[in-house]
């Protein structure tokens, strides 16, 4: 079982905040971490300097930089910051009401080979090589149903989200070519929202997500880890990009921050924190 302290370090790396253990109720839930990870990238691309988030206040984006060089995808951007210029926002969570450890799964030595899995009529590429810490999300949504989390045709497809995932995903390869790193008609269509679009990006391919993941060095064991979020994505909200294996939830131009947050919440739901030694 993954150490709780290591899980908190992983959440800190993803959110840019200082996530600390609490004996009381968690300040934020798993859905909030998806929102923060997705929205920090979205608003940075929009050129905004602050992310307003309920219960946390204003989180600064001014010092965050994202290096799109494929050889430096693991570089760590400065943390989201609270009112003090050099102080990380502190988030207290109770592991007992945040994680669902009965559903943890160790994929670190699993090799699926030719086996095929499906979630919501979409191929499910299991996170082989990773350890998954389950998040407590069952029964946590207003509809009261966990169909989205199941394995049947009404379930939502699985997507993976790394810290550096945004519209640059469609610029790293030519359309239809995984071998050629040049740009083609995709670069010419950046102004077309159907091709690039302002939105929240993820991928069903854990290998692609790994290239855009966050890494951190643990103070607990001194090892360096990669971290991703494993989500389910609404099939009605998700659109397929020009680049294969890239999905986006489009955000309309006239959406406020409140509306954008609501859109993310109804479109992308987390259920696993993934960790792997770098």
């Amino acid at each position: 079982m993954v150490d709780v302290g290591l899980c908190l370090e992983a959440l800190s790396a993803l959110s840019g905040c200082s996530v600390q253990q609490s004996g009381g109720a968690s300040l934020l839930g798993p859905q909030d971490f998806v929102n923060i990870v997705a929205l920090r990238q979205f608003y940075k691309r929009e050129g905004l300097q602050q992310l307003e988030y309920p219960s946390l206040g204003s989180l600064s984006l001014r010092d965050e930089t994202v290096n799109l060089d494929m050889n430096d995808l693991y570089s760590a951007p400065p943390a989201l910051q609270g009112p003090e210029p050099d102080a990380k926002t502190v988030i207290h969570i109770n592991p007992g009401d945040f994680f669902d450890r009965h559903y943890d799964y160790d994929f670190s030595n699993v090799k699926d080979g030719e086996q095929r899995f499906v979630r919501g009529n979409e191929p499910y590429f299991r996170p082989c090589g990773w350890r998954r810490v389950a998040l407590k999300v069952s029964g946590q949504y207003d509809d009261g149903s966990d169909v989205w989390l199941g394995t049947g045709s009404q379930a939502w497809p699985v997507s993976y989200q790394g810290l550096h995932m945004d519209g640059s995903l469609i610029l790293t390869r030519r359309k239809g070519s995984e071998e050629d790193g040049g740009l083609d008609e995709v670069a010419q269509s950046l102004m077309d929202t159907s091709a690039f679009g302002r939105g929240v990006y993820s991928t069903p391919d854990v290998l692609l997500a790994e290239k855009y993941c966050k890494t951190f060095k643990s103070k607990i064991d001194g090892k360096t880890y990669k971290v991703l979020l494993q989500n389910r994505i609404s099939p009605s909200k998700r659109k397929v990009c020009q680049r294969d294996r890239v999905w986006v939830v489009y955000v309309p131009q006239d959406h406020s921050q409140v509306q954008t947050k609501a859109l993310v919440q109804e479109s992308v739901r987390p259920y696993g924190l993934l960790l792997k030694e770098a």
Side-chain angles (χ1 to χ4, degrees):
M1 180 177 286
V2 180
D3 182 84
V4 169
L6 184 58
C7 295
L8 299 183
E9 288 182 326
L11 292 173
S12 297
L14 280 172
S15 67
C17 301
S18 176
V19 182
Q20 301 177 13
Q21 185 168 344
S22 170
S26 296
L27 178 62
L28 299 179
Q31 182 66 57
D32 294 296
F33 279 87
V34 166
N35 296 349
I36 291 172
V37 171
L39 292 176
R40 68 186 296 179
Q41 285 302 99
F42 172 73
Y43 283 123
K44 179 63 181 179
R45 169 167 161 68
E46 291 290 293
L48 300 186
Q49 296 185 345
Q50 300 229 336
L51 168 62
E52 299 291 337
Y53 201 84
S55 77
L56 293 183
S58 297
L59 300 177
S60 174
L61 301 174
R62 287 174 298 179
D63 297 325
E64 183 183 358
T65 58
V66 178
N67 191 329
L68 300 181
D69 185 337
M70 289 294 290
N71 296 319
D72 193 27
L73 289 171
Y74 298 149
S75 58
L80 287 171
Q81 296 176 346
E84 295 298 325
D86 299 317
K88 285 188 177 181
T89 299
V90 175
I91 300 175
H92 291 98
I93 69 165
N94 184 330
D97 65 32
F98 190 91
F99 301 111
D100 205 350
R101 306 306 297 267
H102 294 295
Y103 295 99
D104 285 7
Y105 199 91
D106 188 353
F107 290 97
S108 57
N109 294 311
V110 173
K111 295 181 180 180
D112 283 340
E114 297 300 315
Q115 294 186 79
R116 295 292 179 264
F117 301 88
V118 175
R119 296 291 185 271
N121 296 325
E122 293 276 2
Y124 168 36
F125 301 98
R126 301 201 301 176
C128 297
W130 296 76
R131 289 184 290 172
R132 182 176 68 202
V133 179
L135 306 177
K136 188 164 287 187
V137 293
S138 179
Q140 299 298 307
Y141 292 90
D142 291 341
D143 55 18
S145 171
D146 288 333
V147 172
W148 66 276
L149 195 54
T151 60
S153 60
Q154 299 303 308
W156 288 11
V158 174
S159 75
Y160 299 96
Q161 195 159 29
L163 184 65
H164 300 304
M165 300 185 73
D166 64 10
S168 62
L169 280 166
I170 67 171
L171 296 177
T172 56
R173 296 283 192 276
R174 288 178 186 244
K175 181 184 176 184
S177 171
E178 287 297 317
E179 305 300 326
D180 191 334
L183 305 181
D184 63 353
E185 71 274 10
V186 175
Q188 301 300 320
S189 62
L190 289 181
M191 300 306 293
D192 179 359
T193 56
S194 66
F196 186 77
R198 58 192 310 268
V200 173
Y201 289 78
S202 63
T203 175
D205 185 350
V206 69
L207 295 178
L208 178 60
E210 185 173 355
K211 295 179 180 179
Y212 292 84
C213 73
K214 182 73 171 68
T215 63
F216 68 95
K217 185 172 182 179
S218 173
K219 295 180 180 179
I220 294 174
D221 60 15
K223 297 178 180 178
T224 300
Y225 292 90
K226 301 176 182 179
V227 57
L228 289 171
L229 285 172
Q230 186 177 28
N231 308 318
R232 297 296 185 99
I233 188 166
S234 170
S236 64
K237 301 292 186 181
R238 169 214 62 179
K239 304 298 180 184
V240 179
C241 293
Q242 285 188 350
R243 182 181 178 183
D244 187 32
R245 298 174 295 138
V246 178
W247 293 343
V248 60
V249 174
Y250 287 117
V251 178
Q253 189 72 40
D254 60 354
H255 266 33
S256 65
Q257 287 197 18
V258 172
Q259 291 173 311
T260 300
K261 174 178 173 289
L263 178 60
V264 173
Q265 288 199 166
E266 65 187 27
S267 305
V268 185
R269 295 177 178 178
Y271 72 106
L273 177 70
L274 299 179
L275 288 160
K276 179 181 183 180
E277 284 189 38

